[in-house]
């Protein structure tokens, strides 16, 4: 994006790691270290007031223009840090807006470990066995998810974000992950970048950020369980909506039949 180099003076840590790289643990760690609030996909679920659907739509239509820059400023304004989607997709724009910020690239042990995680969660559509299962997931998401989530999913799925489409069954996700890691390493100055696995704990992170090491254990959260619980809840919500809609349709058809008889 064509982003001005004037600093917003707000964001101090930019998460460039893709989702499913310990980003929920990192969100908790950032906020414990004082970089609070930290933007994360979870924020858009638990804080309806941070539902920026029109802004995400602007990013889909005009990421490289003034509307895109304005959307990025408004979505991430007021946050001291970012982790996870959708922020990681805009790490370069955020760096230009916050030239003094440091960048943390969270990684998994191997590309294969990351692929196993995402195909069971955020990119499950990559594993859709046929057109019907793909469309079913789209319908459930449109019925059950907050109305901005499908737009964020479009941002995540478009080739502009990752260079390829992560939901296309033909995409080699392990290669996509590797290419992303290499891209971040090539585009972020070495002195501003920490490549970090959450298994390493507090010390390398705190040393990089220049903050004291907390006495508490490093946050260990299983965001896979969070994601799956949220998906089950969404499925129940979608099914309820479908049953209600079907019931209304049946009653309506019956009334039309009775009145026409």
């Amino acid at each position: 994006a064509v982003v001005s180099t004037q600093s917003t003076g707000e964001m101090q840590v930019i998460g460039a790691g893709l989702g499913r790289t310990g980003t929920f643990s990192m969100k908790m760690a950032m906020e414990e270290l004082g970089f609070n609030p930290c933007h994360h996909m979870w924020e858009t679920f638990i804080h309806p007031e941070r539902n920026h659907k029109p802004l995400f739509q602007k990013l889909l239509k005009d990421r490289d223009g003034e509307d895109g820059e304005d959307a990025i400023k408004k979505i991430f304004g007021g946050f001291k840090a970012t982790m996870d989607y959708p922020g990681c997709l805009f790490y370069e724009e955020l760096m230009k807006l916050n030239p003094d910020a440091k960048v943390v690239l969270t990684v998994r042990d191997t590309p294969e470990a990351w692929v196993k995680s995402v195909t069971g969660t955020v990119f499950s559509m990559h594993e859709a066995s046929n057109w019907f299962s793909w469309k079913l997931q789209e319908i459930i998401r449109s019925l059950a998810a907050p109305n901005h989530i499908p737009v964020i999913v479009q941002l995540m799925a478009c080739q502009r974000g990752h260079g390829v489409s992560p939901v296309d069954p033909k995409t080699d996700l392990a290669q996509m992950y590797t290419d992303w890691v290499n891209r971040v390493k090539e585009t972020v100055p070495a002195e501003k970048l920490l490549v970090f696995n959450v298994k390493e704990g507090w010390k390398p992170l705190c040393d990089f950020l220049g903050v004291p090491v907390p006495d508490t254990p490093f946050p260990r959260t299983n965001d896979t369980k969070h994601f799956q619980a949220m998906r089950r809840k969404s499925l129940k919500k979608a099914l309820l909506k479908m049953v209600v809609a079907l019931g209304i349709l049946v009653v309506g058809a019956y009334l039309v039949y009775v009145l026409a008889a």
Side-chain angles (χ1 to χ4, degrees):
V2 182
V3 179
S4 65
T5 56
Q6 183 177 1
S7 174
T8 62
E10 296 177 344
M11 191 167 291
Q12 297 172 270
V13 184
I14 299 168
L18 297 176
R20 317 307 301 167
T21 56
T23 51
F24 197 71
S25 293
M26 283 295 293
K27 168 182 166 57
M28 297 177 68
M30 287 294 100
E31 293 181 346
E32 186 167 345
L33 293 175
F35 302 99
N36 186 15
C38 175
H39 194 280
H40 181 280
M41 176 70 87
W42 194 245
E43 290 288 313
T44 66
F45 283 93
I46 62 176
H47 291 292
E49 72 276 12
R50 295 174 188 169
N51 180 348
H52 301 296
K53 182 179 179 180
L55 299 177
F56 287 122
Q57 289 174 324
K58 283 185 178 181
L59 286 174
L60 273 174
K61 295 177 181 178
D62 188 30
R63 176 171 175 170
D64 293 323
E66 291 184 3
D67 281 350
E69 176 181 346
D70 179 67
I72 290 172
K73 288 180 178 178
K74 289 179 178 176
I75 291 170
F76 300 104
F79 287 92
K80 299 296 184 183
T82 63
M83 292 291 154
D84 198 61
Y85 291 110
C88 63
L89 297 176
F90 305 103
Y91 77 91
E92 290 176 282
E93 289 92 336
L94 290 170
M95 285 171 60
K96 291 175 183 177
L97 286 169
N98 304 274
D100 296 327
K102 294 185 176 181
V103 179
V104 178
L105 171 62
T106 46
V107 295
R108 295 291 289 253
D109 292 340
T110 64
E112 291 72 25
W114 181 79
V115 172
K116 181 179 179 181
S117 178
V118 295
T119 52
T121 51
V122 292
F123 296 141
S124 58
M125 290 178 71
H126 182 275
E127 299 293 288
S129 58
N130 52 48
W131 180 90
F132 177 77
S133 59
W134 179 292
K135 287 298 178 183
L136 181 61
Q137 290 191 53
E138 280 191 334
I139 292 170
I140 290 173
R141 186 171 64 239
S142 65
L143 287 172
N147 65 0
H148 63 297
I149 295 301
V151 182
I152 296 178
V153 171
Q154 289 182 58
L155 280 170
M156 292 165 58
C158 70
Q159 292 191 8
R160 173 64 191 274
H162 302 87
V164 293
S165 172
V167 298
D168 185 343
K170 297 178 182 178
T171 296
D172 183 338
L173 290 179
Q175 188 61 52
M176 186 192 85
Y177 169 88
T178 300
D179 290 344
W180 179 268
V181 170
N182 290 336
R183 171 184 163 185
V184 174
K185 291 178 179 178
E186 292 168 0
T187 53
V188 180
E191 68 275 11
K192 289 192 173 184
L193 177 65
L194 173 68
V195 180
F196 181 69
N197 188 315
V198 293
K199 292 181 179 179
E200 297 176 73
W202 285 120
K203 192 175 188 320
L205 181 63
C206 292
D207 287 349
F208 175 68
L209 297 176
V211 296
V213 176
D215 295 331
T216 55
F218 191 88
R220 303 289 183 187
T221 63
N222 190 333
D223 53 346
T224 296
K225 290 183 178 178
H226 281 281
F227 186 94
Q228 292 173 344
M230 181 176 63
R231 187 160 61 178
R232 286 193 296 269
K233 183 177 179 181
S234 295
L235 178 58
K236 291 178 181 178
K237 183 178 179 181
L239 290 174
L240 179 61
K241 284 187 176 182
M242 291 171 70
V243 168
V244 171
L246 182 60
I248 293 173
L249 182 63
V250 170
V251 171
Y254 176 74
L255 290 175
V256 169
Y257 172 77
V258 170
L259 292 173

